[in-house]
Amino acid sequence: MAFSRRTFLRFSAAVAATSTSAQRFLLATHSANDGLHSKLASDPLRPQYHLLPAHNWMNDPNGPIFYRGRYHMFHQYNPKAAVWGNMNWAHATSPDMLHWHHEPIALSPTPGGADQDGVFSGSAVLDHGTPTVIYTGVAPPTSSADATLRDGVHTWRESQCLAVAQDQNLRTWRKHLEPVIAAPPAGLEVTGFRDPVMWREGDNWMLALGAGIRSKGGAILLYSSPDLLHWTYLHPLIEGLSSKKDAVNPVDIGEMWECPDFFPLGNKHVLLISTMGKVRWKVGTYANQRFTAEKEGVVDWGSYYAAKSMIDRDGTRILWGWIPETRPDAELVAAGWAGVMSLPRALSLSPDGELQTEINPIVRSLRTNHTRIGPDPSVPTREKVLNELQIRDLCAELELELRPKNDNFGLRLQTDEGSFITISSLNKNDARQLQVNSVIAPLSGPAGSPVRLHILLDGSVVELFANNTTSITARVYRKPSGPLQLKLDGAELVSLDVWQIQPISNDRLTGSFRSS
Ligand code: DQQ
């Protein structure tokens, strides 16, 4: 809450007049907040150049948009705790997709409204130049027949709700009173009905919705509208196959597809869906308002979910993803924060039509001290660099090129006390694989061919890219006790570049915590 000086004086006078127990309460709250603030600001596992809220829980990116010279990022946020619940849309802005400023919460549940139990994920478009969002609202079902979300813990009715920005900073939003899509198409028994994404097609708006059809599998439902308010259901944009398995939560077996994103890229279309804990890409053809996938893959094999794209100021398609925690809830509560936004990733198609992601070059602007080993360093230089990497505060970027001597090479970032990150390559059924700590992913290229690794290390987050084709985001909840060393087995180091990365704030983005 922002106080003017006059309000503040009135407020102080009122406090002075209250009972001493109220004063003690206020003082206790302040010092508890100060304590939490300094704990968060000095937590070595809390990233320093990734976006995350000042405290508490975040998940999916929602409605990222470049508007009037600024990037706006919204995301799922629990203002009350460092665990999932009470979903709101938090808001942050940036001039460059790197340096973020926390804004007040953009959207909260309306008591008695269709989103009374949560403002779930959604997307933003410019409607005649005005930012407009459509998101999923959840509320108690009126009967078991209209429940569309059942995950074993919650039973909710999902509907699609609209809000229009009321100011140029996108701080105030006016919600449309009634949902713009109140219920699933008649006759369709859905296993979920959420996370809309919209785009323009001729004179119409189109909307794709994450869903699943009972005993048929995951599906994306396609709607059209002349005005974003009145929607007509057309047909599934694409349907999956039933897993023929049973699960309490249909998302766990791929029978419900969450968070779709759909956009043209090169001469193809790309559909992203989140299901079974991974973001999956499909590259294919969009014709007659139906999408046929031709190639498929996984965007990131590690801790990465609910990805959502936008176009940046240069016209590049940028992907954002939620980096979930992998530690137990009790540890999240103790830490006071949970969830991180990935760095911006630029999307492109490889020559053979696969989706490629790479860190947007803008991130290079955060590089500071640089150490390099080229192809022919003297042995002492090489040993010196590898035995004491110049990295402070787990805030670094590394680029390596390796020439494997055989199929199984290994690389460790370690201290004298043991391994911090282990990266190894193995060959399984004649296919190369890369393992980063416990996560295994396919690795492109024939056995023995060079491997390029790009690693962004930020507190407990490790975003790793191999040969431009494999992404693995790992979480490591350990602060090394001494300098990191790099050890290599079974491969020759062709080159290594290490940069210290400059934090984007001086308090791990906890600044607005004091005033919020
Ligand atoms: N997260 C949101 C849903 C979405 C899920 C709720 C995916 O809208 O389906 O927080 O992580």
Side-chain angles (χ1 to χ4, degrees), residues 57 59-60 76 84 87 119-122 136 158 194-195 256 258-259 274 305-306 322:
W57 167 278
N59 55 295
D60 320 353
Q76 293 282 281
W84 187 90
M87 283 294 116
V119 177
F120 274 20
S121 289
T136 301
E158 298 162 295
R194 59 183 174 274
D195 310 335
M256 194 275 153
E258 301 183 295
C259 301
S274 292
Y305 201 64
W322 162 43

Side-chain angles (χ1 to χ4, degrees), residues 338-387:
V340 180
M341 191 67 72
S342 69
L343 292 170
R345 297 181 181 183
L347 294 182
S348 59
L349 291 183
S350 72
D352 51 1
E354 309 220 319
L355 188 71
Q356 293 189 140
T357 60
E358 58 179 330
I359 292 290
N360 188 284
I362 183 81
V363 177
R364 292 183 197 149
S365 63
L366 297 176
R367 290 173 174 173
T368 57
N369 295 355
H370 178 205
T371 319
R372 178 173 167 81
I373 298 183
D376 295 308
S378 68
V379 174
T381 309
R382 186 189 165 92
E383 291 304 302
K384 187 164 181 297
V385 171
L386 296 184
N387 285 336

